[in-house]
Amino acid sequence: MAEDLSYRDVPAEPASTEERGRLPSHLRHARILDQLSLAGTISVTGLAAELGVSDMTIRRDLLEMEREGKLVRVHGGAMLADAPVPVAMDSEEPRFDARLRRGSDAKSAIAAYAANLIVGYRAVALDVGTTTYLMAGHLREVPHLKLFTNSLRVSALLDGGGPEIYVAGGRVRPEEMSVWGPTAIAQFEKLWFDVAVLGTSGITAEGFFDYSFEDTDMKRVYLRRSGLRILLCDSAKFQRMSLVQVGSFTDINMLITDAEPPPRIAAALAAARVDVRIAPPAASR
């Protein structure tokens, strides 16, 4: 579990008598940057031993330097702060078939990994989207599942299979084949799911996004009414946003992706205590 990166974990304690004779803070900061430029990453314990101060002093140094944008704190240490990575804005939603072909290997790996995780649950809420659709294909022979969805594509895919399928009633968004509206929301708001699996159009350090207001309303129902909340996102969607921010990382428990997130997103996920899982390629399972 990643350490809590909130400011409260670095209390302002007075320096010990031993530490008063050590390097002043500006010189420690310079030494820290020197080490980062050489190694790329540093550890709290290693720096404390080298500079002759406590771990707490180093943590305070790293916190101050992070506030100044000089580094990014990670579990047990820090890494160099990347130059700001631009966020791409997707103003239009691509067609479902086009999205299904885009990054298909990564999405297939994520879908298989996620399906294997949730087979032990009973009441599962499954969002619309291409990766959730691929995941549903792995659940066809799972007899004990009660699967709740607002995706007519998922319902059709699993028709005649093992799971019991429950579809929200409401208005249909034709291209996405998703059901939305006050009737659908009211139906699913009365339920409590063991686990919800959501898709997304992209994520930044601020949270995760979707193209449409309509589907976002149902995603938020799943988030409110589920014990375990899993987000599926292939790495091509890092640093991408679209029309609606669905939520922040504190709204989910787990992210399943195909590659390590970039540092700023990784730090935000760690701060929110999100369990990040990297799905191995399909051939390696």
Side-chain angles (χ1 to χ4, degrees), residues 39-104:
T41 61
I42 50 176
S43 72
V44 170
T45 54
L47 282 171
E50 180 180 343
L51 299 178
V53 295
S54 69
D55 286 4
M56 187 61 69
T57 296
I58 295 299
R59 292 182 191 279
R60 286 197 295 267
D61 287 339
L62 297 183
L63 173 59
E64 183 178 344
M65 295 174 73
E66 184 179 52
R67 287 170 171 167
E68 296 170 352
K70 296 177 179 177
L71 52 77
V72 174
R73 289 185 298 155
V74 297
H75 179 66
M79 61 192 303
L80 280 174
D82 288 349
V85 179
V87 174
M89 176 68 184
D90 297 319
S91 57
E92 294 186 7
E93 181 176 24
R95 294 179 61 86
F96 184 89
D97 290 344
R99 297 187 347 251
L100 193 62
R101 292 190 298 269
R102 183 187 301 169
S104 59

Side-chain angles (χ1 to χ4, degrees), residues 121-202:
Y121 295 92
R122 184 162 180 82
V124 177
L126 191 57
D127 188 21
V128 299
T130 53
T131 312
T132 51
Y133 175 79
L134 291 172
M135 174 186 157
H138 294 278
L139 304 176
R140 186 173 176 80
E141 305 304 325
V142 183
H144 65 272
L145 280 183
K146 291 182 180 291
L147 197 147
F148 300 81
T149 186
N150 61 317
S151 169
L152 297 182
R153 281 192 175 90
V154 167
S155 174
L157 179 65
L158 295 179
D159 183 39
E164 296 178 17
I165 309 299
Y166 300 85
V167 181
R171 185 172 180 177
V172 176
R173 193 160 75 92
E175 169 54 30
E176 195 64 21
M177 294 299 290
S178 58
V179 181
W180 64 282
T183 302
I185 291 171
Q187 287 177 337
F188 278 13
E189 280 279 18
K190 297 176 182 177
L191 306 176
W192 183 259
F193 310 110
D194 297 323
V195 56
V197 184
L198 278 71
T200 183
S201 63

Side-chain angles (χ1 to χ4, degrees), residues 245-267:
Q245 182 171 346
V246 180
S248 64
F249 293 142
T250 57
D251 295 314
I252 61 173
N253 307 112
M254 182 183 297
L255 171 70
I256 302 176
T257 184
D258 61 299
E260 292 287 348
R264 293 187 186 280
I265 293 177

Side-chain angles (χ1 to χ4, degrees), residues 195-263:
V195 56
V197 184
L198 278 71
T200 183
S201 63
I203 66 175
T204 69
E206 283 67 45
F208 53 103
F209 296 80
D210 194 71
Y211 296 105
S212 75
F213 286 112
E214 298 91 341
D215 290 344
T216 294
D217 288 339
M218 287 300 295
K219 290 175 188 286
R220 289 172 177 160
V221 171
Y222 295 149
L223 292 171
R224 288 193 297 268
R225 303 298 296 173
S226 299
L228 174 63
R229 303 172 300 279
I230 301 174
L231 184 68
L232 310 183
C233 181
D234 62 272
S235 57
K237 297 175 182 175
F238 295 155
Q239 290 298 110
R240 304 195 74 87
M241 62 186 297
S242 49
L243 180 64
V244 189
Q245 182 171 346
V246 180
S248 64
F249 293 142
T250 57
D251 295 314
I252 61 173
N253 307 112
M254 182 183 297
L255 171 70
I256 302 176
T257 184
D258 61 299
E260 292 287 348

